[in-house]
Amino acid sequence: MPRITLPDGNIKGFDSPTTPHEVALSISEGLARATIGAKVNDQLVDATHTIDSDAAISLITKPRKGVPFNEQDADALYLLRHSTAHVMAEAIQRLWPDTLLAYGPPLDNGFYYDIYLEQPISSDDFPAIEAEMKKIVKEKRPFTRYELSAADGMNRLNDEGNKYKIDNAQRAIDGGAESLSWYVTGQKDENWEDLCMGPHLPNTSAIGAFKVMSIASSNWHGDVTSDRFQRVYGTAFFSNADLEQYLEQLEQARQRDHRVIGKKLQLFHTDDQVGQGLILWTPRGAMIRQLLQDFIMKHLIRQGYSQVFTPHIGKLDLYKTSGHYPYYQESQFPPLINPDQISALAEEGCSCGELSNRMQDGEIDGYLLKPMNCPHHIKIYASQPRSYRDLPIRLAEFGTVYRWEQSGEVGGMTRVRGFTQDDAHLFVTEDQLQDELIGCLELVGIIFKTLGISDYRVRVGLRDPDDKKYVGDPENWDKAEEACRTAAATLGVPFDAEPGEAAFYGPKIDFVMQDAIGRDWQTGTVQVDYNLPIRFNLEYNGSDNKTHRPIMIHRAPFGSMERFIGCLIEHFAGAFPLWLAPEQFRVLPVSEKFMEYAITVHDKLTAEPFRSVLDDSDNRVQAKIKVAQEDKIPYMLVVGGRDKDAGTVSIRHRTEGDLGALPLDEFISQANAEVASFGKSTITVNS
C-alpha cells in the first residue's frame, strides 16, 4: 500500500490506494478544503488522482487571501485557467451549438480556446459568453476525469466527427499514449465534456473571477494554408480583487506598449507590402539603434574585438555542416534554388516534397537566408592558419538574420522575421574560456546598469539528456555547462538552471526581460560551444607545436536589436534619457520676433553636435510646449526677449516643468556632462 512522502520529509502510510484530497484530509479538514490539486512525483495531477504506489507529493492549495496574483503558485493558476478554458468553451457551445473545438491551453496570464465557427464572434458577444460562464460556475459542477482505450476512444471521436479532436487524439497515440482521457464538467453522459489530458480544479466553484479578453485569428497547427480558427482569449483569478488589479496593470501596460509608443513617436514602421515581421527603422528609431551600437562598440574595442561583415545568405551546405539545416528547418525561410535548376526540376515534374528530400540528401544545393551569423564567422577564423598566440580571437558583427516565425506569433519588434544581432564569436583555448565568459557577461552588465534595467532574470540553459536535438560529446557538454554555471555565479544575482533551454550545440546564459504586459523575452545571451569547432574541423597550433581544437563562445549582449529596443521603449515609456533621445532639445521661440536668436541657439547646439530641432511653426508657445511634451523631448529651450538680451535660454524639462534660465554656454556645458554621465548628472539652474 502507498507510502506518501510529504515536502517536509514526513511519511504517511495508507492501507489502500489514496488521492491528494485524502492525503490532505489526513492532515486537516481545512487543508482538504483548500487543496485543488497536487504534484505527485513532480507530475501535476487532480486532487482526485489515484495514488496506488509509494510517491512524493506536494499539495497545491488556493492562494491565501492577500497574496498578490503575481506571487501566487504557478501550478494553482494553471489549474484555475485550464478549468476556466473548459467553462468558456462550454459557454460558447451553448451560444453557438455548431462550434467545433480544437484546443484550449492555459497561458502565463490566462488561456485561450481555438474554435471553428463560421459565424464571427466579436467583443460585443463577450458579455453573453461571460454570463453563460457565470451560470456554469454557480452550478458547482465537479471536473470528472474518465479514460477509454486508444481504440475505443478513437471510435468514439470518429462517431462524433470533430476532425480536430480526432487529429489531437491520433497525435497522442502516435506519441505513445495507450489510452485517451476526457473531462466532464459534471457527470459522465449528463454534462458537457472535452477530450483533455487535464488536470483540473475539483469543481467550478473554485473559479473566483474571469474575463473574456479578446479574439484573434489562428490556423490549424499554425499553418496559414490550413483551416482558419477564431482564437478566444480569457483570463481567470481566484478573486475579483486579483482580476481588477490585473486589469489595472494591463491598462497601465497598454500605455507603455512599444507598438503604440513606437508609432506615436515615429520610431519604427511595419508595412504589409514589405512583409509581416520586417521592421522599417524610421529616422528617430534608427538614431536610437545607432547610438546603442556606438555605445557598445567602444566597449568592444576596449575588450579587443575585431569587427567583420558577412553576407545575408550562404550556401545550404554551410548550414548542413553547422547543423542549422535541418535542425531549425521549420524556423527558416525556404532555400533559394538556382532558377535554371528550378526550371529543369519543374520539367521533370519534381514535387515539393521530393525537392526537399533532394536538398536534405545533398543532391541539390542552394542558398539560405542566414538564420545565424556563426557559420560565417567560423569561416573567417578558418581562412588562415591560427596559433595559440593569436587566441583569443574575437569577431564582432551587427549581423542581420532571418527566421520564419509563425504569423500568429509575429508582433511589434519583439517577435520579427528579420532582426539584427550585436553578435560576436570568440575562439578561445580551454584555459581562456572562463575569463572570456566573464568578459562577455561584463558587457551585458554594463548595458543593463547604464540603462537602469533591473527587472530581468538570469537563466542558465542546459541540455535535456532525453532530447535528441542536442549534438556532441556528453563530456564536452558537462564541461561547457559547468563553465556557464561558474560564470553566471560571478554576476552576484540569482539564476535559474533550466534543462531543455540550451542551444542544440551548447549551453547558454540568457538574460530575460519582461515587456509591459508581463511577457518574458530573451535579450542578451552568452553560449559555450565545443561542437561547431568539431563540425568545421577548426584548429590552432599549440605551444607544444601540436594541433588543438578551439572552443567557441557565442555572445550577443543586446541580443536582437529589434527586441531589445522594443523592450527599451516600454522600459522608458518612450521618454529616453538625454544621451539616447533621438531628439535631445527643441528650441521654441516665443514669437517670430525672436526667430533669429532661436536659430542662433539651434545652430550652436547642432554644432556641438546635439540633436536639436527648431520649432518655427506659427503656433503659440504654449501649443509648442504641449507638442514637445507629447513627443517626450527631454529639454525644451524657450527663447524670448530677455533670453535674447542676456544670451540665455529658458529651460523646460519634459516632466519637471520650468527649471529657469542659463547662459547658453553654461547650458551646453551641463548638457555635455549629462550625456557623458549617461544621466547621472542632470541640468540644474541655481536660483
Side-chain angles (χ1 to χ4, degrees):
M1 291 299 98
R3 287 163 53 84
I4 304 300
T5 302
L6 300 172
D8 62 3
N10 285 331
I11 297 175
K12 281 184 168 287
F14 291 83
D15 296 332
S16 60
T18 187
T19 67
H21 176 77
E22 290 170 351
V23 172
L25 189 60
S26 73
I27 299 172
S28 75
E29 291 186 0
L31 180 60
R33 286 193 298 272
T35 296
I36 56 176
K39 274 195 166 177
V40 176
N41 296 331
D42 288 330
Q43 180 183 356
L44 188 62
V45 299
D46 305 311
T48 55
H49 174 79
T50 300
I51 307 171
D52 55 12
S53 60
D54 293 354
I57 180 172
S58 57
L59 299 172
I60 297 169
T61 59
K62 287 183 180 180
R64 296 189 311 275
K65 189 175 182 179
V67 176
F69 70 85
N70 55 359
E71 296 178 13
Q72 293 172 11
D73 184 85
D75 291 323
L77 291 170
Y78 181 98
L79 291 167
L80 168 71
R81 288 163 179 167
H82 196 182
S83 302
T84 312
H86 275 224
V87 170
M88 185 180 74
E90 179 180 357
I92 289 172
Q93 286 197 313
R94 282 185 179 184
L95 294 168
W96 296 279
D98 292 338
T99 300
L100 290 180
L101 303 176
Y103 34 54
L107 306 170
D108 288 343
N109 290 321
F111 55 87
Y112 70 80
Y113 221 111
D114 276 348
I115 64 172
Y116 181 83
L117 178 64
E118 291 188 4
Q119 178 181 337
I121 294 176
S122 73
S123 57
D124 293 338
D125 298 309
F126 293 174
I129 297 172
E130 291 171 357
E132 289 298 321
M133 292 173 69
K134 288 177 182 177
K135 293 176 186 178
I136 297 167
V137 169
K138 286 182 180 178
E139 291 169 6
K140 299 184 178 180
R141 284 189 265 144
F143 288 96
T144 307
R145 177 190 176 102
Y146 71 89
E147 293 189 11
L148 296 176
S149 68
D152 289 344
M154 288 303 296
N155 287 337
R156 173 179 174 166
L157 290 169
N158 284 321
D159 289 341
E160 292 175 354
N162 182 337
K163 67 178 182 179
Y164 310 117
K165 293 298 182 181
I166 293 170
D167 186 88
N168 286 341
Q170 190 60 56
R171 286 170 176 262
I173 293 168
D174 292 344
E178 297 179 355
S179 63
L180 300 172
S181 59
W182 275 258
Y183 274 83
V184 187
T185 312
Q187 301 301 320
K188 186 176 181 295
D189 300 325
E190 294 182 16
N191 299 111
W192 184 91
E193 59 186 76
D194 193 14
L195 177 74
C196 180
M197 294 176 62
H200 288 281
L201 296 170
N203 59 70
T204 60
S205 67
I207 298 173
F210 54 82
K211 185 172 180 60
V212 181
M213 300 294 294
S214 62
I215 192 160
S217 62
S218 62
N219 294 90
W220 185 228
H221 298 316
D223 181 357
V224 294
T225 65
S226 67
D227 293 357
R228 195 168 185 82
F229 292 146
Q230 297 183 69
R231 176 170 290 181
V232 188
Y233 285 95
T235 192
F237 293 89
F238 284 100
S239 72
N240 283 314
D242 287 343
L243 176 59
E244 290 172 6
Q245 183 183 356
Y246 172 73
L247 294 176
E248 173 61 26
Q249 185 183 89
L250 204 59
E251 180 55 36
Q252 293 177 9
R254 285 195 183 102
Q255 296 175 17
R256 302 176 76 94
D257 191 322
H258 77 276
R259 293 166 296 185
V260 176
I261 295 174
K263 182 177 182 180
K264 184 177 179 181
L265 300 185
Q266 301 175 8
L267 301 177
F268 69 96
H269 177 64
T270 56
D271 190 288
D272 288 342
Q273 197 166 6
V274 173
Q276 190 181 27
L278 301 174
I279 301 298
L280 299 172
W281 291 88
T282 51
R284 289 174 176 269
M287 177 59 71
I288 295 171
R289 172 172 159 170
Q290 189 63 55
L291 289 164
L292 289 172
Q293 291 183 187
D294 293 346
F295 164 74
I296 199 63
M297 183 56 70
K298 293 178 182 178
H299 291 285
L300 298 185
I301 293 170
R302 174 178 59 82
Q303 286 196 359
Y305 282 81
S306 300
Q307 187 172 17
V308 297
F309 298 95
T310 61
H312 289 244
I313 64 173
K315 289 187 70 174
L316 202 56
D317 185 59
L318 177 70
Y319 299 104
K320 288 178 182 176
T321 302
S322 70
H324 293 106
Y325 186 91
Y327 280 108
Y328 287 154
Q329 187 172 349
E330 292 183 357
S331 300
Q332 296 164 0
F333 281 81
L336 308 171
I337 311 298
N338 182 301
D340 293 336
Q341 195 168 22
I342 285 285
S343 298
L345 291 168
E347 290 178 4
E348 292 176 16
C350 179
S351 67
C352 292
E354 185 182 352
L355 176 61
S356 178
N357 290 334
R358 288 195 191 183
M359 285 189 291
Q360 288 193 37
D361 294 342
E363 184 181 341
I364 297 173
D365 202 359
Y367 287 83
L368 194 67
L369 285 171
K370 65 177 177 180
M372 293 184 180
N373 298 299
C374 37
H376 294 252
H377 292 186
I378 285 171
K379 285 300 182 181
I380 291 176
Y381 176 91
S383 63
Q384 62 188 78
R386 304 291 182 178
S387 161
Y388 74 96
R389 298 180 186 277
D390 301 323
L391 272 58
I393 291 174
R394 309 178 186 94
L395 304 179
E397 176 182 17
F398 290 98
T400 302
V401 297
Y402 303 89
R403 311 276 173 83
W404 180 255
E405 299 286 357
Q406 298 295 335
S407 296
E409 297 176 348
V410 173
M413 299 179 77
T414 49
R415 181 76 77 175
V416 293
R417 288 175 171 164
F419 56 93
T420 302
Q421 295 176 307
D422 61 324
D423 215 352
H425 295 90
L426 293 77
F427 301 86
V428 305
T429 68
E430 190 106 38
D431 292 341
Q432 295 166 342
L433 176 61
Q434 203 63 56
D435 286 344
E436 291 300 318
L437 279 177
I438 292 172
C440 293
L441 294 178
E442 179 201 5
L443 292 174
V444 184
I446 288 170
I447 290 170
F448 280 23
K449 183 177 180 181
T450 301
L451 294 168
I453 297 171
S454 57
D455 188 13
Y456 68 92
R457 63 185 178 89
V458 179
R459 176 180 67 201
V460 177
L462 309 175
R463 73 194 185 283
D464 179 350
D466 297 326
D467 193 326
K468 294 180 181 179
K469 82 171 184 179
Y470 299 104
V471 298
D473 184 347
E475 184 178 340
N476 285 339
W477 270 94
D478 290 341
K479 290 190 288 186
E481 290 180 344
E482 182 58 30
C484 284
R485 287 192 188 94
T486 302
T490 67
L491 291 168
V493 297
F495 64 87
D496 297 318
E498 298 185 19
E501 289 295 331
F504 75 88
Y505 47 75
K508 56 182 180 171
I509 306 167
D510 292 332
F511 293 79
V512 182
M513 292 175 62
Q514 279 197 341
D515 67 10
I517 58 175
R519 295 173 301 185
D520 282 345
W521 296 107
Q522 177 196 313
T523 53
T525 186
V526 180
Q527 305 169 0
V528 178
D529 181 4
Y530 281 78
N531 288 305
L532 288 186
I534 295 173
R535 282 174 168 263
F536 282 94
N537 196 30
L538 300 185
E539 297 177 344
Y540 69 89
N541 193 46
S543 58
D544 56 1
N545 207 29
K546 294 181 180 179
T547 298
H548 296 268
R549 187 87 65 198
I551 304 167
M552 277 184 71
I553 299 174
H554 308 243
R555 72 104 192 96
F558 289 120
S560 155
M561 297 301 292
E562 285 76 3
R563 176 176 292 177
F564 188 88
I565 292 175
C567 292
L568 202 62
I569 291 169
E570 297 185 359
H571 173 69
F572 289 119
F576 294 97
L578 185 64
W579 73 274
L580 196 55
E583 180 184 337
Q584 295 169 308
F585 309 118
R586 188 168 294 179
V587 181
L588 311 177
V590 172
S591 70
E592 181 66 28
K593 290 190 300 181
F594 310 110
M595 184 61 70
E596 184 178 347
Y597 179 61
I599 291 172
T600 299
V601 170
H602 169 68
D603 288 347
K604 195 161 186 179
L605 290 171
T606 55
E608 271 303 300
F610 286 118
R611 297 179 293 281
S612 172
V613 170
L614 172 64
D615 186 343
D616 57 0
S617 68
D618 295 332
N619 295 330
R620 295 171 62 88
V621 71
Q622 289 303 321
K624 294 179 180 180
I625 290 172
K626 183 175 183 294
V627 170
Q629 287 177 324
E630 290 174 349
D631 290 345
K632 301 184 184 293
I633 309 304
Y635 292 101
M636 291 149 271
L637 307 182
V638 182
V639 293
R642 292 182 181 178
D643 296 297
K644 178 182 178 182
D645 294 341
T648 60
V649 288
S650 295
I651 309 160
R652 185 179 183 89
H653 188 266
R654 63 187 161 202
T655 58
E656 297 175 17
D658 289 323
L659 300 182
L662 276 177
L664 180 56
D665 288 342
E666 173 62 19
F667 173 80
I668 289 174
S669 176
Q670 289 200 37
N672 276 317
E674 181 170 340
V675 169
S677 69
F678 301 105
K680 290 190 177 81
S681 67
T682 57
I683 294 171
T684 57
V685 177
N686 294 324
S687 55

